[in-house]
Structure formats: structure tokens, C-alpha cells
Amino acid sequence: MRKLFFPLLAAVILFMAVFGWLEVARGQIQTPPGGQVVLNSETQGENTREIQGPDSAAPNQPLISFIDSPTAGCVQPDPTKNACFINWYYMSVSAGTSNYMISMTVTLNDFGAVANYNGFFQNSMYVPYNMNPQGYQVECGALGAGGAPTLGKSYGYTIRARDTAALGSANYGTVYCPAFIP
Amino acid sequence: MIGKGIDMSLPIRSGLLLVAILAGLLLAWTTVGAGAGFPVANDNTPLTATFATPAPLPDKPAGEAPFLTTPTDPTAVCMVKKIHSGVCVMNWEYLYASADPNYIITMTVAIDDKTRARFDGFFQTTMYVPSEMLGFQVACGTLGSGGNPNLGMSHNFLISARDSNGSKTTSTGSVICPADDLYHVYLSVVRK
């Protein structure tokens, strides 16, 4: 039996090591806070969009749509000022016919939430650019400040929407501003 | 010697057998555990699990010819913002580019060799920017400074677009602004 001790010990250590590694790997499954899981996700370049739902009763086909938020722009109207303006052509999301949209929130990651749109007995939500005609004022930044050598600062943003079925939709992207060159 | 050799290999064999059994148990546990870890809908249909780093979508298939259209920028205008301010505003009726079936990644507006606006696409095959999202202050200039004796300065522009297929197109031109100079106020010197 004494001769079996070392092989047994080696086997147990190996087992524990593999078990521990698997736990770490399983812990990396994306689970957003609040007991929600990601039901659908797409990535293209620096942009990601996803749909989230409750862990317990996740539907097969989430009714909430991806948020459509095309053409994130950063414009420098006056080249003598270090002031740029971020805006989207529009933001649109639908909760399907059986649910209501609760809210849609725009967050500039450096600053926090900059707009919150609240639904009112509505199945979809559409926010055109001219609801905020000027856009959100930010610093343009120096050349290369955002990582692109010919542009200024870059700003990460998150747009989140949620509906009455506790489903959520989120867009994660980055917008680059022109540089301020005094 | 032979008997000792057989005697020494027994614990090693036992250890290997134990490792194999534990590995089998581990494999079975992993399979069952992974199945139970996925959210299951009410009708017991497993959902697709999404991990922290989702695999990027493949680019849309490239065509035989570049699909990215030259940015369309009709009706470029330059108008005085405020008389005697010397400041004019350049604008377009709209800007438009299509990369269909690829995604359009960016559209950039540069005036007089300086980038003034950048538009980033988000899972979109076309990009449309209305005039209200544009508007760029430029110097109006003095009469004749742009070559036309009745107008002010001329400003060059370059609008470029890029798509997910790596194609890039540009549209260039120039706009002559009305002349407008700063309003000079001459104070008279009053001797006391």
C-alpha cells in the first residue's frame, strides 16, 4: 500500500489541477449582472451588439430587437475650439407586439449616462438625430489622443434598452473625433 | 531481479489505472455539467451559449467589383453665419455612401486638409448623414480671395469612405464662400 501512495497522491493532485482549471474556464461564461445571460451577440470591428435576458426563463426567440444605432458621428463645427459633438443618425429598438419598451439609455463611457428615453405604453422606440440636434459636447483632443494618428480623442459608448419582459439589448461601440489643432 | 521489476511496476500500473478512472469521471462530469449550465427554456430546448469573447462575424462576402460607392455629397453650400463676423458655414444637402453587401466602416469629412468630422458605422451597409448633422465654420475671406472677384475664399473638401472589405473611395471638390470681413469699428479720438 505504501508503494501506491505516491501514484495516488500524483493522481489526486492532477485531478485537482484539472478541476480547478475547468472552474476558471466555466467562470468566464458571460453572465451580466442581475442574473441575466447573453442570448445573442455579434461583433464587427470595435462594435458589439447583444441581447440579454433573465437566466431563469430565457425565451427561445427573444422578442426585443438589436438596437439600430447607425452612423455615430463626431463633428468639429469650429476649428478654433476644442469642442466636438457626438450624435447618432437615429436609435431604434422594438420590444415586439406583446411587450412595452421601458427605456433606452445612452452612456458615454468616460462620463456616464447622457440621455435616458422613457417609454410610455409603446412597443418600439425611435430617437432621431434632431431630438438632440447639437449632439453631446466632448473634447476633440490632440492628434493621436484616441489611438488613430490622424484623429483626436475616441469615446466608447454604450446604448442600452430594456422592455417589460425583462429583456435587454445593448450596443457597444467607439466613436472617433477630429483632432483639435490650435 | 525479474520479480522485483514486476513488483515495482504494480503501483505504477495502479496509479495509471486510477488516473484513467478519474479522467473518465472528470469527462463525464464536464459533459453533464456543461449541459446543465446552459439556460434552458420552458420547453426544454437548449439555448445557444455566448461566451465572454464572441467570435467576430466574418466579413460579408466580397464581390467581384468593389461595392463601395463614391460618397455622394450634393449641393455643397457656403453661407455667411453672421454678417461682419468673417465666419461662414460650409454644409451639404446630405452625405451618402453605400458598401452593400459589405459593412460601411467610416466616412470622414476633411476641409482644407483638416479632418472636421468622422462618422463610424455600426452594422450598416449604407451611411446617410443629413445636413443637420453637419455644418463647418470656415473663414469667408475678402472679395476676390478665392479667384472670383464677387466672392470670398475657396475651400477644398475631401470626403472619404471605407468599408469592411478594405475598399476606400473619396470625393473631392471645392466651395467658394461669399466674401465677408470683420466689421471694423474705428473710434474717433476726442481731444479734451
Side-chain angles (χ1 to χ4, degrees), chain A residues 163-176:
Chain A
D163 69 7
T164 49
L167 293 167
S169 190
N171 285 0
Y172 308 96
T174 304
V175 61
Y176 288 82

Side-chain angles (χ1 to χ4, degrees), chain B:
Chain B
M1 288 294 287
I2 294 170
K4 195 176 179 183
I6 292 167
D7 202 28
M8 283 294 285
S9 65
L10 185 63
I12 296 170
R13 284 182 185 174
S14 304
L16 286 172
L17 184 65
L18 191 62
V19 168
I21 291 168
L22 288 173
L25 286 171
L26 186 65
L27 187 66
W29 174 84
T30 307
T31 308
V32 172
F38 293 132
V40 177
N42 294 335
D43 60 355
N44 292 329
T45 308
L47 291 167
T48 305
T50 308
F51 295 90
T53 310
L57 286 179
D59 288 339
K60 290 194 170 184
E64 292 175 356
F67 285 98
L68 183 63
T69 61
T70 305
T72 310
D73 42 87
T75 320
V77 63
C78 187
M79 62 184 86
V80 176
K81 186 180 182 187
K82 184 181 176 186
I83 293 173
H84 297 313
S85 69
V87 177
C88 283
V89 176
M90 267 180 74
N91 208 339
W92 287 264
E93 184 186 345
Y94 62 84
L95 303 180
Y96 175 82
S98 171
D100 196 18
N102 300 310
Y103 286 133
I104 190 154
I105 302 295
T106 62
M107 185 152 61
T108 306
V109 179
I111 297 172
D112 296 332
D113 300 324
K114 186 186 177 312
T115 301
R116 297 290 297 275
R118 153 95 168 214
F119 300 95
D120 290 275
F122 193 88
F123 297 94
Q124 61 193 89
T125 55
T126 61
M127 187 173 275
Y128 175 82
V129 185
S131 61
E132 293 91 334
M133 288 180 73
L134 302 165
F136 305 97
Q137 291 187 21
V138 292
C140 297
T142 53
L143 268 178
S145 57
N148 186 322
N150 300 315
L151 294 169
M153 278 182 76
S154 172
H155 297 280
N156 299 316
F157 65 83
L158 170 70
I159 299 165
S160 54
R162 187 165 57 86
D163 74 4
S164 58
N165 193 35
S167 301
K168 184 179 178 183
T169 59
T170 57
S171 172
T172 58
S174 62
V175 177
I176 302 181
C177 293
D180 187 67
D181 204 356
L182 286 171
Y183 187 73
H184 299 288
V185 179
Y186 299 99
L187 298 174
S188 57
V189 179
V190 179
R191 300 186 71 176
K192 288 187 177 178

Side-chain angles (χ1 to χ4, degrees), chain A residues 11 18 20 28 32-33 57 72 84 88 91 118-119 132 161 164 172:
Chain A
V18 173
Q28 290 177 358
C84 282
W88 285 262
M91 290 171 268
N118 292 279
N132 180 19
T164 49
Y172 308 96

Side-chain angles (χ1 to χ4, degrees), chain A residues 26-176:
Chain A
R26 283 165 61 86
Q28 290 177 358
I29 294 175
Q30 192 169 3
T31 305
Q36 294 221 322
V37 292
V38 176
L39 304 176
N40 197 358
S41 177
E42 292 181 2
T43 298
Q44 198 273 322
E46 292 184 70
N47 301 323
T48 298
R49 58 183 178 181
E50 63 185 29
I51 291 175
Q52 304 157 0
D55 194 3
S56 56
N60 285 328
Q61 296 287 329
L63 294 173
I64 196 166
S65 68
F66 279 125
I67 301 169
D68 195 12
S69 61
T71 316
C74 189
V75 177
Q76 184 186 32
D78 186 349
T80 65
K81 291 177 182 170
N82 188 12
C84 282
F85 297 87
I86 293 174
N87 208 348
W88 285 262
Y89 180 35
Y90 65 83
M91 290 171 268
S92 175
V93 64
S94 169
T97 52
S98 53
N99 300 317
Y100 286 134
M101 283 308 306
I102 300 291
S103 68
M104 182 157 62
T105 306
V106 181
T107 301
L108 292 176
N109 299 348
D110 285 357
F111 307 106
V114 292
N116 185 39
Y117 304 96
N118 292 279
F120 190 82
F121 300 99
Q122 62 195 78
N123 302 115
S124 61
M125 192 173 271
Y126 174 77
V127 180
Y129 63 90
N130 52 12
M131 276 188 77
N132 180 19
Q134 195 179 29
Y136 305 102
Q137 184 174 335
V138 294
E139 280 187 3
C140 299
L143 263 180
T150 58
L151 295 166
K153 287 185 79 169
S154 63
Y155 294 91
Y157 65 84
T158 306
I159 305 171
R160 286 187 191 280
R162 62 187 178 91
D163 69 7
T164 49
L167 293 167
S169 190
N171 285 0
Y172 308 96
T174 304
V175 61
Y176 288 82

